[in-house]
Amino acid sequence: METDDRPRYAQIADELGRRIDAGIIGVGLPFPSDAQLQEEFSVARNTVRQALDVLRAQGRIHTVKGRGSYVRPRVPARRVAASRYKADVSSTPDRPQTAVTHDYGIPFSQHNPDVVIARESASPEVAELFQVEAGTPLVRRDLVFRLEGWPTHMSTSFYLAEMVDGTWVAGPGSEPAPGGAIGHLASLGVRVTRVLETVESRMPSPREAEVLRMSAGPVLAITRRMLADGRVVEVAREIVYPGDGVRLEYEVDL
Amino acid sequence: METDDRPRYAQIADELGRRIDAGIIGVGLPFPSDAQLQEEFSVARNTVRQALDVLRAQGRIHTVKGRGSYVRPRVPARRVAASRYKADVSSTPDRPQTAVTHDYGIPFSQHNPDVVIARESASPEVAELFQVEAGTPLVRRDLVFRLEGWPTHMSTSFYLAEMVDGTWVAGPGSEPAPGGAIGHLASLGVRVTRVLETVESRMPSPREAEVLRMSAGPVLAITRRMLADGRVVEVAREIVYPGDGVRLEYEVDL
DNA sequence: GAGTGGTCTAGACCACGAC
DNA sequence: TCGTGGTCTAGACCACTCA
């Protein structure tokens, strides 16, 4: 038995973490309330709350005001850049697939993102990524991806209205789509040959925290540009994952 | 004037953030103490502390027990994978450079990482990355990179002892090195042709938090493998940046 | 209306750093 | 020794969710 002179809140956080690991407190099940934990560990409520702050920062629990806390599932994706987009390219009617089904190793039938599509003028920021004038008409697509009901990640992406207007890609029936964004563009005769990705780590916005059901941990945010013939034909700004929800893999040839 | 019914601590955090932006509280200068802020804003100390928690999570301040808080500088690097390693390859005696000087746009003379070199047996984890037996002798290199005194990132990396033993690369005189790791290996006749990187976001370990002078924000952690002739010749596990200290850029050709 | 988490107060003791 | 932040207590009121 080792002496434990660490702060009480850290000990409690560890103990609760162990219970989650052991499955004593299950994924999606209600977490003990502040009052219960206060009672069990014989500490003040602030000490309980400090312990839960640790678990929240680790992304292990999610807390909703007035309702309680829940254990967050860990759904780690391996997002291998070199092969995920090739999955898009090689999707066939017989074996439909997308980069996302590739990341999670799931069948296409389990791929049913929520989607909201709207027209929008290019903000200066998106315009620069697209290398077009600010104000250029775009089609904006907000997606939320889920696995067994739990959100895995979300994205906001844009096509040039000029390119997709009047096609199925501009409608809500464009998801789920075999071949993903690359499939969309291919159906319009545009062949994507290059993808540029920028990765950042930051704290989530309130909306991101709500949608992704995370209370305090960091997110990984990817800004993506797809190019065809040297021209930018799709911009995703941004694709947002819970910090512990993905491992990105890239290769660089010299 | 908009009504502000947001929590008091959030308002205080915003106000302090504005003061940092405006330079009223400068980088590296002492931050007001809890007692001073308590006095100024007429709130309890816990409320002050909650406000500082926000700034810590954003990486804007760093706090050391018994001493106080300090404003953290923002030293963002653009870490462009496609070009940074080419900088290593194209380093010459006339114009020495490394991937790191490329990232930060600094002259080689400003590149002076702290370095600790040791021999170590491969842990199962590192061994798997190296594709060798666990226990294989390695040379371990712990580096800390700084810019104008402030730590920008840190790394732990490994060479095969068999490959570098008895050469300058195994000694402390191997840093700073023109051409970085690729230059090290090139001097031994090993030509790196491929680099694999894995990116994760997580909370820092206590040691990382101390070295990088961050109190609560997330880090970006990169695991890197360098290959020559299909063989792994260098493993970095891990290269750790403060979450707001870097933007990674990758390209994927289809 | 009962239970939940979010916020806030006004104290207290401690370990640590600077002087 | 004194000021600092870290931890902890024992209350309180509020907004929110759910039955």
Side-chain angles (χ1 to χ4, degrees):
Chain A
M1 194 65 185
E2 58 180 272
T3 66
D4 198 347
D5 50 0
R6 293 161 55 229
R8 194 85 178 90
Y9 77 86
Q11 297 177 32
I12 295 174
D14 273 12
E15 170 59 22
L16 294 175
R18 273 192 296 272
R19 290 187 194 174
I20 295 172
D21 289 337
I24 297 171
I25 309 173
V27 168
L29 293 182
F31 203 77
S33 70
D34 287 8
Q36 286 171 322
L37 294 171
Q38 196 179 161
E39 168 80 9
E40 173 181 354
F41 293 102
S42 303
V43 293
R45 179 147 88 107
N46 279 350
T47 304
V48 168
R49 292 185 58 73
Q50 229 177 327
L52 295 200
D53 280 343
V54 174
L55 297 175
R56 275 187 279 265
Q58 295 171 345
R60 307 209 53 167
I61 63 172
H62 172 52
T63 305
V64 183
K65 174 155 164 178
R67 193 164 345 152
S69 296
Y70 299 83
V71 176
R72 268 172 53 82
R74 209 163 135 44
V75 189
R78 268 188 69 201
R79 190 179 190 279
V80 184
S83 59
R84 76 190 302 269
Y85 293 114
K86 292 196 173 68
D88 271 348
V89 172
S90 58
S91 177
T92 63
D94 271 1
R95 304 180 60 83
Q97 55 179 334
T98 70
V100 173
T101 64
H102 179 265
D103 292 344
Y104 292 92
I106 56 172
F108 188 76
S109 59
Q110 278 185 45
H111 174 61
N112 279 291
D114 288 353
V115 55
V116 176
I117 298 184
R119 284 185 66 103
E120 194 173 287
S121 292
S123 67
E125 195 177 24
V126 173
E128 188 180 341
L129 290 164
F130 253 123
Q131 299 170 334
V132 297
E133 296 282 315
T136 301
L138 302 177
V139 169
R140 169 184 173 135
R141 306 157 48 78
D142 287 287
L143 303 186
V144 178
F145 302 83
R146 296 175 211 281
L147 207 54
E148 291 163 21
W150 284 90
T152 58
H153 63 294
M154 59 195 285
S155 70
T156 299
S157 59
F158 303 88
Y159 292 130
L160 295 165
E162 164 226 336
M163 188 173 280
V164 302
D165 258 353
T167 73
W168 70 292
V169 172
S174 59
E175 290 292 340
I182 291 177
H184 282 156
L185 293 164
S187 78
L188 305 179
V190 176
R191 183 159 160 268
V192 173
T193 53
R194 182 172 240 201
V195 180
L196 304 178
E197 295 194 346
T198 300
V199 182
E200 288 178 295
S201 171
R202 56 174 173 76
M203 299 305 278
S205 70
R207 191 182 104 81
E208 288 164 353
E210 189 189 338
V211 172
L212 298 176
R213 297 195 209 165
M214 42 191 310
S215 299
V219 296
L220 259 185
I222 302 172
T223 300
R224 176 180 74 190
R225 281 171 292 172
M226 288 190 170
L227 280 76
D229 261 339
R231 180 188 183 194
V232 180
V233 293
E234 191 246 17
V235 166
R237 177 163 180 87
E238 306 172 287
I239 305 165
V240 180
Y241 290 84
D244 67 343
V246 70
R247 222 175 63 196
L248 312 178
E249 300 188 25
Y250 295 96
E251 51 180 63
V252 184
D253 285 307
L254 302 181
Chain B
M1 194 66 182
E2 58 181 273
T3 67
D4 199 347
D5 49 0
R6 293 161 56 229
R8 194 85 179 90
Y9 75 87
Q11 298 176 32
I12 295 173
D14 274 12
E15 169 59 22
L16 294 174
R18 273 192 296 272
R19 290 187 193 172
I20 294 172
D21 289 337
I24 298 171
I25 309 172
V27 166
L29 293 182
F31 204 77
S33 70
D34 286 9
Q36 287 171 321
L37 293 171
Q38 196 179 162
E39 169 81 11
E40 172 180 355
F41 293 101
S42 303
V43 292
R45 181 149 87 108
N46 279 351
T47 304
V48 167
R49 291 186 58 73
Q50 231 177 327
L52 295 200
D53 280 343
V54 174
L55 298 175
R56 275 187 279 264
Q58 296 171 345
R60 307 208 54 167
I61 62 171
H62 173 52
T63 305
V64 183
K65 177 162 164 175
R67 194 166 344 154
S69 297
Y70 298 84
V71 175
R72 267 173 52 81
R74 206 162 138 45
V75 189
R78 269 188 70 200
R79 191 179 187 277
V80 183
S83 59
R84 76 190 301 272
Y85 292 115
K86 292 194 173 70
D88 271 347
V89 172
S90 57
S91 177
T92 63
D94 271 359
R95 303 179 62 82
Q97 55 179 336
T98 71
V100 173
T101 63
H102 179 265
D103 291 346
Y104 291 92
I106 55 173
F108 188 76
S109 58
Q110 277 185 43
H111 175 61
N112 278 292
D114 287 354
V115 54
V116 176
I117 298 184
R119 284 185 66 104
E120 192 173 287
S121 294
S123 67
E125 195 178 25
V126 173
E128 191 182 339
L129 289 165
F130 252 123
Q131 299 171 333
V132 300
E133 297 282 316
T136 301
L138 302 177
V139 170
R140 170 185 172 136
R141 307 157 46 79
D142 286 288
L143 303 185
V144 178
F145 301 83
R146 296 176 210 281
L147 206 55
E148 290 163 22
W150 283 90
T152 58
H153 63 294
M154 59 194 285
S155 71
T156 299
S157 59
F158 303 89
Y159 292 130
L160 294 165
E162 164 227 334
M163 188 173 281
V164 300
D165 258 354
T167 73
W168 70 292
V169 173
S174 59
E175 290 292 341
I182 291 177
H184 282 155
L185 293 164
S187 78
L188 304 179
V190 177
R191 182 161 160 266
V192 174
T193 52
R194 183 172 240 202
V195 180
L196 304 178
E197 296 195 345
T198 300
V199 181
E200 287 178 296
S201 172
R202 55 172 175 77
M203 299 306 279
S205 71
R207 191 182 103 80
E208 289 163 353
E210 189 188 336
V211 172
L212 297 176
R213 298 195 209 164
M214 42 191 309
S215 300
V219 296
L220 259 187
I222 301 172
T223 299
R224 176 181 72 190
R225 282 171 291 172
M226 287 189 171
L227 280 76
D229 260 339
R231 179 188 185 195
V232 180
V233 293
E234 190 245 15
V235 166
R237 179 164 180 83
E238 303 171 295
I239 305 165
V240 180
Y241 290 83
D244 67 343
V246 70
R247 220 174 67 195
L248 312 178
E249 301 188 25
Y250 296 96
E251 52 180 62
V252 184
D253 285 308
L254 301 181

